[in-house]
Amino acid sequence: GGYGVHSVKQEIKGSLVDQLQLTLDANVESLRLFFEDKKLDAQVLADQPEIRKNILSLIEITKKEDVSAEKLRQSAPLKWLREHLGKACKKYDFIGFVIFDSTGLQVGALLEEPVGKRVLIERSVFFYQSLQGDTVVSNPFMAEIKLPNERGEFHANQPTQFVSTPIKDQDDNVLGVLAFRMRPHKEFDKLITTSRFGKTGETYAFND
């Protein structure tokens, strides 16, 4: 009897290990596909000639003089980008976008508050990675501003996440970064809970 119990116990343990590994592999692959899909969205938008032209024009404004956040908000390139990229954000389900120059200054955004600040480069490394030429999805982190929910109501201390891609000139020099803001609780969290195993088979995502 004891031998039989031990044998069954080992079999159950082995089965659980296999099931947990399958769950982990499924979640990792789901996240990989999700990241690749979002990175492709960002690259496609950044590569559109008119969008790139207006982003570079917006970045150029900050090179000529010290400009205020209000002047950036009133600039023609940002008004154009808010109209056209704003529509793209709705289509791709982004909360908004943020544009950085090569120093990390937030020269433009769909929302008002981020413009003219440098807060985001202190919260995440995605800007520095894209400045090196990479398109990346950031880890989720606490938002630096109040963010709107899906009903348009603004709340503080919300989780946020970005997909960012470099903005290059015609000589292939990286002059800035275009980043799109996502809701991690809507997509990132959903992916790692879809393949939940049993009552306590939660999946957790860890940074480096």
Side-chain angles (χ1 to χ4, degrees):
Y3 178 79
V5 169
H6 175 75
S7 221
V8 171
K9 191 175 181 180
Q10 291 303 110
E11 186 69 27
I12 292 173
K13 282 184 177 180
S15 178
L16 287 172
V17 167
D18 291 342
Q19 184 62 53
L20 287 171
Q21 187 62 53
L22 286 171
T23 301
L24 173 61
D25 292 344
N27 281 321
V28 169
E29 182 63 11
S30 295
L31 286 174
R32 187 189 69 78
L33 293 173
F34 166 68
F35 289 162
E36 291 302 317
D37 185 53
K38 290 302 178 184
K39 287 193 285 186
L40 183 60
D41 290 343
Q43 289 172 324
V44 167
L45 289 169
D47 284 341
Q48 292 185 20
E50 282 300 309
I51 290 176
R52 181 182 298 273
K53 174 186 171 183
N54 278 277
I55 289 175
L56 291 174
S57 295
L58 183 61
I59 292 172
E60 189 65 26
I61 293 174
T62 64
K63 293 182 179 180
K64 297 176 182 178
E65 57 179 316
D66 291 332
V67 292
S68 65
E70 187 56 33
K71 186 170 182 178
L72 289 169
R73 293 189 187 102
Q74 296 303 320
S75 66
L78 183 54
K79 288 182 178 180
W80 187 95
L81 289 164
R82 281 179 163 176
E83 178 183 352
H84 293 84
L85 270 185
K87 293 176 182 177
C89 286
K90 289 183 179 179
K91 178 179 178 180
Y92 291 96
D93 202 24
F94 295 128
I95 298 176
F97 64 86
V98 179
I99 298 165
F100 303 81
D101 70 6
S102 59
T103 70
L105 177 65
Q106 297 158 209
V107 298
L110 184 62
L111 301 176
E112 293 292 314
E113 195 174 343
V115 180
K117 297 182 178 180
R118 296 181 186 272
V119 182
L120 280 170
I121 62 174
E122 300 170 0
R123 297 291 185 93
S124 179
V125 298
F126 70 85
F127 163 76
Y128 298 102
Q129 292 173 315
S130 289
L131 201 61
Q132 298 300 313
D134 297 326
T135 299
V136 299
V137 177
S138 77
N139 291 328
F141 59 95
M142 199 62 71
E144 80 289 5
I145 61 171
K146 290 183 178 180
L147 294 178
N149 60 22
E150 294 178 78
R151 296 186 298 276
E153 303 163 341
F154 282 77
H155 298 280
N157 301 319
Q158 296 297 303
T160 193
Q161 187 175 22
F162 284 87
V163 54
S164 62
T165 193
I167 297 297
K168 302 178 181 179
D169 63 12
Q170 58 184 3
D171 297 320
D172 214 32
N173 298 311
V174 178
L175 300 184
V177 170
L178 171 62
F180 293 96
R181 194 188 295 266
M182 302 183 293
R183 293 183 175 90
H185 60 274
K186 183 176 180 181
E187 296 178 281
F188 185 88
D189 287 2
K190 184 178 179 181
L191 286 172
I192 61 175
T193 57
T194 300
S195 300
R196 179 170 172 162
F197 172 57
K199 294 182 179 180
T200 58
E202 296 89 351
T203 300
Y204 294 86
F206 293 85
N207 61 15
D208 290 342

